[in-house]
């Protein structure tokens, strides 16, 4: 709803397509006024997003017509087999069942759906209301959760090292985000683009958790999989975005090997080129941005990342540097070329070593060398060998 | 022939396992470095495994990056053939699980890797 006494209240009564035309073709003052008007009304935020991301985001029909999109969740039970999707156990509109994993998956998918729509007006994985399917109790002592291109699948954990994978909202947000990334840039799951794919899932998985817990950046734990390690395992989580490499150090599990910067980039053939390892670098960059901006991380830092994930200029083989430069461009487009938000994004990528010095160019156009575009596509600044 | 296999990746860190299969006239013997895991394969299963590995090598390398699976385990295979050559390949990611391990080397490796992993878990419990 529009606020009556605002200076630009005339824009409140204009239909969305005219607002977009004003924003596209009007004076800078008219443009700012339109964007401000759009920003105060939740029902118009989709239009604002459509304008802001012209040439970028796809906006679902439901968002533009004002009809809230409806979640369509279905949970299946594999009953410790590896046959998918398993036995149907709960659908949208049905009450909780007696199985905690089923209800956790159901609620986690709902929370993630709500997060994406309320934060970025995104209607499900494909932004067109795709049904959300998940299978729980997959396999026996199965220490994993994954996205298979069609649905989310959760193991029960072994009970010795890992607990049930549905117990962490950020894990559910992580897996659903793989679907989002797959429907947008579809970053190749190998090397740096694969690590970006992983990091984007950690970023929005953490944002979903912060959104549900109503935490600001300084209140959040920035852990991925907090509570997933079984009792007795020495560690707090699987990964730390605030301090990569410190999440666990246990005789049975080993030590968290995530790097926090490019100087410690890990070259390996395992895990699709270390996609779950080197994701620590962009993970830490996001943390630095969110911490520098302050407030709720999904509102500004998350928005910049979301704008970038949905930016058509983000190609499937993007490396860290090209992703970093797109986040800087999107921060400038959304918050202004001299904004502290853009400076925070620029500084973070320099701090983790993805972009090269100097740090003082935050409000200046970057040349290709400064943008890191002259680097090999899959290499770090000083990659270490493993 | 000697076959080595390794599991890596997955959403969680440090769930990697690896194993080696040595073949001789009595069958085959599986071991996992750094663990007490040992398993002997009867001659029939050993022959079947050799046939599956030979067939997989004949197919050539897969393209795992094209798989839609994210956070799935990665399974790598290394086969040393009688001519002394070593052939390495990454097995295509399974999306449907693997009830028929005997007909598919990816499924066989997935099952064996999980056995090695659970062997380690049992030792922790002790
Ligand atoms: Zn992932």
């Amino acid at each position: 709803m529009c606020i009556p006494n605002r200076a630009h209240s005339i824009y409140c009564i204009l239909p969305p397509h005219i607002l977009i035309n004003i924003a596209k073709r009007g004076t800078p003052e008219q443009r700012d006024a339109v964007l401000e008007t759009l920003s105060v009304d939740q029902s118009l935020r989709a239009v604002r997003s459509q304008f802001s991301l012209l040439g970028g985001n796809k906006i679902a029909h439901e968002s533009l017509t004002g009809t809230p999109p409806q979640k369509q969740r279905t949970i299946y039970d594999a009953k410790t087999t590896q046959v998918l999707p398993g036995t149907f156990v709960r659908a949208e509109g049905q009450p909780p069942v007696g199985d905690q994993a089923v209800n956790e998956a159901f609620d986690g998918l709902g929370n993630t759906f709500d997060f994406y729509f309320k934060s970025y007006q995104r209607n499900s994985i494909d932004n067109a209301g795709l049904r959300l399917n998940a299978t729980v109790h997959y396999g026996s002592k199965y220490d994993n959760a994954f996205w298979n291109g069609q649905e989310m699948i959760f193991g029960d954990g072994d009970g010795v090292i890992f607990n049930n994978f549905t117990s962490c909202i950020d894990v559910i947000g992580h897996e659903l985000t793989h679907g989002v990334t797959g429907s947008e840039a579809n970053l190749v799951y190998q090397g740096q683009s694969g690590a970006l794919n992983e990091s984007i899932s950690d970023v929005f998985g953490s944002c979903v958790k912060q959104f549900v817990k109503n935490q600001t950046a300084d209140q959040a734990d920035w852990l991925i999989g907090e509570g997933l390690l079984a009792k007795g395992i020495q560690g707090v989580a699987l990964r730390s975005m605030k301090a990569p490499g410190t999440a666990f150090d246990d005789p049975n599990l080993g030590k968290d090997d995530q790097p926090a910067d490019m100087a410690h980039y890990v070259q390996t053939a395992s895990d699709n080129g270390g996609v779950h390892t080197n994701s620590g670098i962009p993970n830490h960059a996001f943390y630095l941005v969110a911490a520098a901006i302050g407030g709720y991380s999904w509102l500004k830092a998350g928005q910049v990342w979301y704008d970038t994930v949905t930016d058509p200029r983000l190609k499937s083989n993007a490396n860290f540097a090209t992703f970093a430069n797109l986040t800087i461009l999107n921060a400038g487009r959304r918050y202004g070329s001299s904004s502290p938000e853009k400076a925070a994004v620029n500084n973070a990528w320099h701090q983790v070593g993805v972009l090269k010095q100097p740090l003082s160019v935050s409000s200046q156009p970057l040349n290709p060398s400064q943008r890191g575009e002259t680097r090999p596509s899959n290499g770090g600044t000083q990659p270490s060998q493993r | 022939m000697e076959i080595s296999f390794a599991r890596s990746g997955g959403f969680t860190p440090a769930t990697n396992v690896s194993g080696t299969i040595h073949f001789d006239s009595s069958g085959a013997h599986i071991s996992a470095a750094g663990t007490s895991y040992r398993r002997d394969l009867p001659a029939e299963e050993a022959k079947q495994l050799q046939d599956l590995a030979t067939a997989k090598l004949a197919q050539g390398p897969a393209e795992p990056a094209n798989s839609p699976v994210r956070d799935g385990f990665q399974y790598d295979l290394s086969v040393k053939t009688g001519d002394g050559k070593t052939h390495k390949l990454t097995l295509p990611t399974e999306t449907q699980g693997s009830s028929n391990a005997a007909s598919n080397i990816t499924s066989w490796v997935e099952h064996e890797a999980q056995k090695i992993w659970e062997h380690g878990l049992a030792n922790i419990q002790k």
Side-chain angles (χ1 to χ4, degrees):
Chain A
M1 179 178 290
C2 284
I3 302 168
N5 292 330
R6 294 187 75 87
H8 308 293
S9 58
I10 178 66
Y11 297 113
C12 295
I13 60 173
L14 297 176
H17 70 279
I18 293 179
L19 291 174
I20 288 178
N21 278 333
I22 292 171
K24 286 165 67 176
R25 301 188 178 91
T27 65
E29 291 74 22
Q30 288 172 324
R31 176 182 178 279
D32 289 345
V34 165
L35 291 176
E36 183 184 357
T37 299
L38 294 173
S39 70
V40 300
D41 190 321
Q42 180 71 20
S43 67
L44 291 175
R45 286 180 66 197
V47 179
R48 180 173 190 265
S49 179
Q50 185 189 41
F51 166 73
S52 302
L53 300 171
L54 279 173
N57 244 2
K58 297 171 284 183
I59 297 297
H61 175 71
E62 290 87 343
S63 304
L64 293 173
T65 57
T67 307
Q70 300 299 313
K71 295 185 273 282
Q72 290 295 331
R73 292 165 287 180
T74 309
I75 311 297
Y76 299 87
D77 183 352
K79 299 182 177 178
T80 73
T81 71
Q82 293 184 226
V83 178
L84 293 174
T87 304
F88 162 80
V89 279
R90 189 178 173 192
E92 198 64 49
Q94 295 181 344
V97 297
D99 184 331
Q100 188 176 349
V102 171
N103 298 329
E104 286 172 342
F106 188 87
D107 293 343
L109 293 182
N111 286 329
T112 306
F113 180 98
D114 290 343
F115 163 79
Y116 271 107
F117 183 69
K118 290 176 180 172
S119 302
Y120 314 121
Q121 300 79 55
R122 186 180 188 87
N123 181 5
S124 193
I125 286 171
D126 61 350
N127 206 8
L130 186 73
R131 301 179 71 91
L132 300 176
N133 295 342
T135 295
V136 299
H137 302 310
Y138 179 83
S140 173
K141 297 183 179 178
Y142 198 77
D143 288 326
N144 203 9
F146 63 100
W147 163 256
N148 75 348
Q150 296 179 312
E151 65 162 319
M152 286 143 279
I153 295 139
F154 301 95
D156 291 332
D158 54 59
V160 177
I161 296 179
F162 298 107
N163 295 320
N164 194 323
F165 283 75
T166 56
S167 62
C168 297
I169 178 66
D170 48 341
V171 175
I172 296 172
H174 175 111
E175 296 308 333
L176 194 149
T177 299
H178 275 308
V180 172
T181 302
S183 75
E184 298 287 348
N186 197 20
L187 291 159
V188 174
Y189 207 57
Q190 182 76 35
Q192 286 198 16
S193 57
L196 284 171
N197 197 322
E198 271 307 308
S199 175
I200 289 162
S201 276
D202 277 352
V203 161
F204 289 108
S206 182
C207 284
V208 169
K209 178 178 165 183
Q210 294 171 41
F211 176 84
V212 169
K213 299 178 90 167
N214 195 35
Q215 291 176 325
T216 54
D218 60 334
Q219 294 169 333
D221 62 18
W222 294 99
L223 298 171
I224 301 297
E226 190 270 333
L228 199 53
L229 296 179
K231 188 179 178 183
I233 298 297
Q234 295 169 28
V236 291
L238 303 182
R239 295 186 275 279
S240 169
M241 299 175 70
K242 184 175 182 178
T246 66
F248 61 90
D249 187 357
D250 182 86
N252 296 307
L253 189 57
K255 186 182 182 310
D256 180 4
D257 65 350
Q258 277 209 315
D261 56 48
M262 289 302 285
H264 299 92
Y265 186 95
V266 176
Q267 297 282 9
T268 175
S270 298
D271 186 24
N272 296 102
V275 297
H276 292 89
T277 304
N278 293 313
S279 55
I281 297 166
N283 275 3
H284 192 53
F286 181 83
Y287 161 76
L288 292 171
V289 173
I293 294 174
Y296 293 116
S297 61
W298 65 89
L299 291 182
K300 287 188 172 178
Q303 183 72 64
V304 170
W305 253 244
Y306 183 76
D307 289 351
T308 304
V309 170
T310 55
D311 189 326
R313 292 172 294 183
L314 180 65
K315 303 304 179 191
S316 62
N317 62 349
N319 63 10
F320 287 178
T322 53
F323 184 86
N325 283 306
L326 275 177
T327 61
I328 294 168
L329 288 172
N330 281 311
R333 184 166 64 168
R334 187 170 280 276
Y335 300 112
S337 60
S338 301
S339 64
E341 290 85 359
K342 182 184 173 187
V345 175
N346 186 45
N347 288 339
W349 288 116
H350 280 86
Q351 194 168 330
V352 300
V354 167
L355 298 183
K356 295 178 180 175
Q357 302 295 336
L359 285 170
S360 58
V361 296
S362 58
S363 60
Q364 305 282 328
L366 304 177
N367 66 41
S369 175
Q370 289 169 325
R371 284 185 239 133
E373 291 175 355
T374 56
R375 297 237 310 266
S377 63
N378 220 24
T381 304
Q382 292 176 284
S384 59
Q385 201 75 28
R386 184 165 74 173
Chain B
M1 178 182 276
E2 180 180 292
I3 299 176
S4 298
F5 57 90
R7 178 178 89 177
S8 64
F11 179 79
T12 61
T15 51
N16 297 358
V17 294
S18 60
T20 303
I21 311 160
H22 299 278
F23 293 87
D24 60 25
S25 58
S26 66
H29 316 279
I30 306 173
S31 61
T35 78
S36 58
Y37 184 84
R38 299 286 183 277
R39 190 166 85 85
D40 294 327
L41 293 184
E44 186 180 347
E45 186 180 353
K47 171 71 167 57
Q48 193 172 31
L49 187 58
Q50 280 183 310
D51 291 345
L52 287 171
T54 303
K56 178 57 72 177
L57 290 180
Q59 286 174 10
E63 295 183 18
N66 292 335
S67 166
V69 176
R70 301 292 180 255
D71 296 317
F73 289 123
Q74 174 180 319
Y75 296 98
D76 292 302
L77 199 65
S78 175
V79 182
K80 187 185 288 185
T81 47
D83 57 6
K85 291 181 180 175
T86 299
H87 309 264
K88 295 186 177 185
L89 56 102
T90 297
L91 298 171
T93 308
E94 296 275 301
T95 59
Q96 261 295 331
S98 46
S99 55
N100 191 7
S103 66
N104 183 324
I105 196 160
T106 305
S107 299
W108 188 93
V109 169
E110 182 181 354
H111 277 269
E112 199 65 29
Q114 181 67 14
K115 283 180 186 173
I116 295 170
W117 176 248
E118 291 186 19
H119 175 81
L121 292 173
N123 286 340
I124 294 172
Q125 285 171 315
K126 288 171 187 171

